[in-house]
Amino acid sequence: MITSATNTLPGPRARFPGHLMFAFRSDPLGFLIRIAAKFGDRSAFGIGRMRFVLLNDPDLIREVIVAKADQFQKSPALRQARVSIGDGLLTSEGDFHKRQRKLSQPAFHPSRVAGYSAAMVRRSRQMAVAWRDGERIDLHEQMMKLTLRVVTETLFSASIEDEIDQIGQAMDVIVRMFSRARNPLAPILNRLPLPSNRRFVRAQADVRRTVEHFVLQNRMAGVDRGDLLSTLVRARDTGGETAVMSDDPGGAQDAASAQAMSDIQLRDEIVTLFIAGHETTANALTFALWLLSQNEDAAAKLYSEIDAAGAGRDLLSADLDHLPFTRAVVAEAMRLYPPAWVLMRQAKEDVRLGSDSVRVPKMGIVIMSQWITHRDPRWWPEPETFKPERWLDDTAKQNRPKYAYFPFGGGPRSCIGEAFAWTEAVLIIATLLRDWRLEAESPKPLRLTPTITLRPKDPVWMRLRRR
Ligand code: HEM
């Protein structure tokens, strides 16, 4: 019988009650880095009655999130987040998650994502046209607005300009509540008559009303508008492959006999896509553009690539093939500043990993941090240096273990929006920087806030210069 991972693995011990909890909460990045540096790839520690295992071995990470994914569930904090975002893909578990994932998958099929690219480019052009030479912007704020507009438009189609700001504000309130799930006192705080709780209830009602309105409109229109919502509304679980209802009436009848998502499931999935799909990408874009502002050579290479791609017209998804350096810039930015900086999994049973060298007790929590693994010198020579070129070197890529890089996780709970995010980030950078150069005004290095996502702590001030 496995009793405790802390019996077998090295790790820090609390010097006083609450010591490790305090250290973890006050500086999570520093806390995990110090443990990995001192105790190696596999370590363990306890906080109260909770047992934690920290892994920095790409093969063991693969084992947890891919090979033995069924033996784990999401962390208690993420499960607690159901209170704020409902039972969507991010928070659901087991067979329910599998079914929802299957139903949602067609909305992220490459042909669909290619269809969303027009909205991504249109929204970026709109921002590029509104910018003024010499103006000072908070880059992070601008990227949050841009990705919110993109996700809103790709979810619901183009006709909702009036509602975008209102939805944005309500979503912001919900995201704050989502972050509260990390607080061990969240279940108590959620029940108190706090202004934040009242704001949350209002925001949740606003978002639900808006989403329900769009679902109804979409059902009444009865046509596939090419947006995410259309695919989700029309997805049917036939028990085998998921079908998406076609506009052909015969096909519709067949598919209608299969099981679709209820309005409540649709609503929870849509709120989840909003939450999961906009801040992460905004953070990746902010870090990539900030890194470019600090690296003239990389910026010069990027300009020559984007000036040549699709010259004289708006970029299309087909142009992505001609933007390998821009993609490398995004990849390298997510290596150094992974928007999802940590994955956690709780063991549903006692689990043995790495041919029995690591034992995770039932209810033990495995921590895997992109922040640590992405800066490991064994896989990343000069790990602290921004070098997009490393992504164009196929030999180096082949020599690295797959899970030395996992910005989108992996296995059955991997990011469903990965292709969406790559397309969006590359097209946004290429479209904005066709006309603009961004000069950083923030002091370096960036200060970071690692909450649910890794985001800049302060505004990221940039001076706009027309190219
Ligand atoms: C740079 C941008 C993004 C990053 C770094 C990112 C990262 C991640 C990661 C690491 C996970 C796995 C979490 C875990 O295993 O615990 C995840 C899950 C998820 N992401 Fe993303 N994501 C990004 C963009 C998006 C976008 C654009 C969407 C949707 C439009 C999206 C929707 C989701 C959803 C729904 C899940 C849950 C999937 C499931 O459990 O089945 N993400 N994301």
Side-chain angles (χ1 to χ4, degrees), residues 366-379:
V366 180
I367 304 177
M368 299 151 286
S369 171
Q370 290 92 335
W371 176 265
I372 298 177
T373 313
H374 289 188
R375 288 171 183 248
D376 190 319
R378 286 172 297 179
W379 328 119

Side-chain angles (χ1 to χ4, degrees), residues 122-141:
R122 189 166 45 245
R123 290 298 181 175
S124 317
R125 289 280 309 142
Q126 210 176 45
M127 180 162 270
V129 167
W131 279 354
R132 294 286 164 259
D133 202 11
E135 187 186 352
R136 192 173 87 132
I137 56 161
D138 172 0
L139 180 62
H140 189 231
E141 186 209 16

Side-chain angles (χ1 to χ4, degrees), residues 74 89-90 97 101 108 272-273 276-277 280-281 284 334 339-340 343 345 370 407-409 412-417 420-421:
K74 294 264 177 127
L89 276 183
L90 205 55
H97 169 265
R101 175 100 186 186
F108 294 92
T272 297
L273 291 176
T280 39
T281 319
M334 288 197 291
L343 293 185
R345 292 290 187 272
Q370 290 92 335
F408 295 98
R413 305 305 302 248
S414 67
C415 177
I416 200 170
F420 184 113

Side-chain angles (χ1 to χ4, degrees), residues 120-408:
M120 296 166 180
V121 171
R122 189 166 45 245
R123 290 298 181 175
S124 317
R125 289 280 309 142
Q126 210 176 45
M127 180 162 270
V129 167
W131 279 354
R132 294 286 164 259
D133 202 11
E135 187 186 352
R136 192 173 87 132
I137 56 161
D138 172 0
L139 180 62
H140 189 231
E141 186 209 16
Q142 294 272 304
M143 292 304 106
M144 289 284 276
K145 276 198 174 140
L146 183 51
T147 56
L148 180 69
R149 279 159 195 265
V150 168
V151 83
T152 312
E153 183 167 338
T154 47
L155 271 167
F156 302 128
S157 288
S159 53
I160 57 155
E161 193 53 43
D162 295 347
E163 285 96 340
I164 279 188
D165 285 337
Q166 190 201 346
I167 296 180
Q169 281 159 15
M171 280 296 164
D172 202 44
V173 174
I174 293 176
V175 171
R176 278 174 215 274
M177 190 55 88
F178 182 51
S179 302
R180 183 192 278 174
R182 291 171 69 239
N183 187 331
L185 298 177
I188 299 168
L189 291 174
N190 290 347
R191 285 203 209 99
L192 298 177
L194 301 172
S196 57
N197 289 343
R198 281 197 292 274
R199 272 197 302 276
F200 169 71
V201 170
R202 266 199 308 273
Q204 198 180 40
D206 275 357
V207 168
R208 288 183 169 178
R209 221 181 11 256
T210 312
V211 171
E212 281 158 11
H213 164 74
F214 284 120
V215 170
L216 187 69
Q217 255 192 358
N218 200 299
R219 287 201 199 283
M220 278 169 39
V223 287
D224 182 349
R225 294 189 298 203
D227 53 28
L228 272 163
L229 178 62
S230 295
T231 328
L232 297 180
V233 164
R234 300 155 73 77
R236 295 287 185 277
D237 186 359
T238 55
E241 286 300 296
T242 306
V244 176
M245 264 163 69
S246 70
D247 288 332
D248 140 52
Q253 264 167 22
D254 289 348
S257 60
Q259 229 187 341
M261 280 190 220
S262 71
D263 281 5
I264 290 179
Q265 283 159 12
L266 266 172
R267 187 193 68 198
D268 286 356
E269 290 306 347
I270 285 164
V271 171
T272 297
L273 291 176
F274 256 106
I275 305 273
H278 101 274
E279 183 178 330
T280 39
T281 319
N283 297 357
L285 283 162
T286 305
F287 292 131
L289 291 166
W290 181 81
L291 284 161
L292 281 171
S293 76
Q294 311 287 305
N295 290 275
E296 275 177 28
D297 289 353
K301 275 188 201 158
L302 183 123
Y303 293 141
S304 69
E305 180 175 275
I306 62 179
D307 290 349
R313 58 162 172 79
D314 277 355
L315 290 169
L316 307 167
S317 65
D319 295 317
L320 290 170
D321 289 345
H322 306 292
L323 294 166
F325 190 77
T326 313
R327 189 181 166 101
V329 164
V330 176
E332 183 68 346
M334 288 197 291
R335 183 184 70 78
L336 282 166
Y337 297 102
W341 63 277
V342 68
L343 293 185
M344 294 207 198
R345 292 290 187 272
Q346 185 167 42
K348 293 197 278 188
E349 55 202 75
D350 291 344
V351 184
R352 291 156 194 264
L353 304 169
S355 319
D356 227 2
S357 57
V358 175
R359 296 163 174 222
V360 186
K362 183 174 177 182
M363 303 310 274
I365 295 177
V366 180
I367 304 177
M368 299 151 286
S369 171
Q370 290 92 335
W371 176 265
I372 298 177
T373 313
H374 289 188
R375 288 171 183 248
D376 190 319
R378 286 172 297 179
W379 328 119
W380 310 102
E382 296 177 69
E384 306 293 324
T385 312
F386 176 68
K387 283 209 315 197
E389 294 78 11
R390 67 172 98 231
W391 293 96
L392 306 173
D393 176 351
D394 285 339
T395 320
K397 228 189 246 174
Q398 277 156 18
N399 291 337
R400 256 191 323 259
K402 182 153 190 270
Y403 286 91
Y405 186 69
F406 55 111
F408 295 98

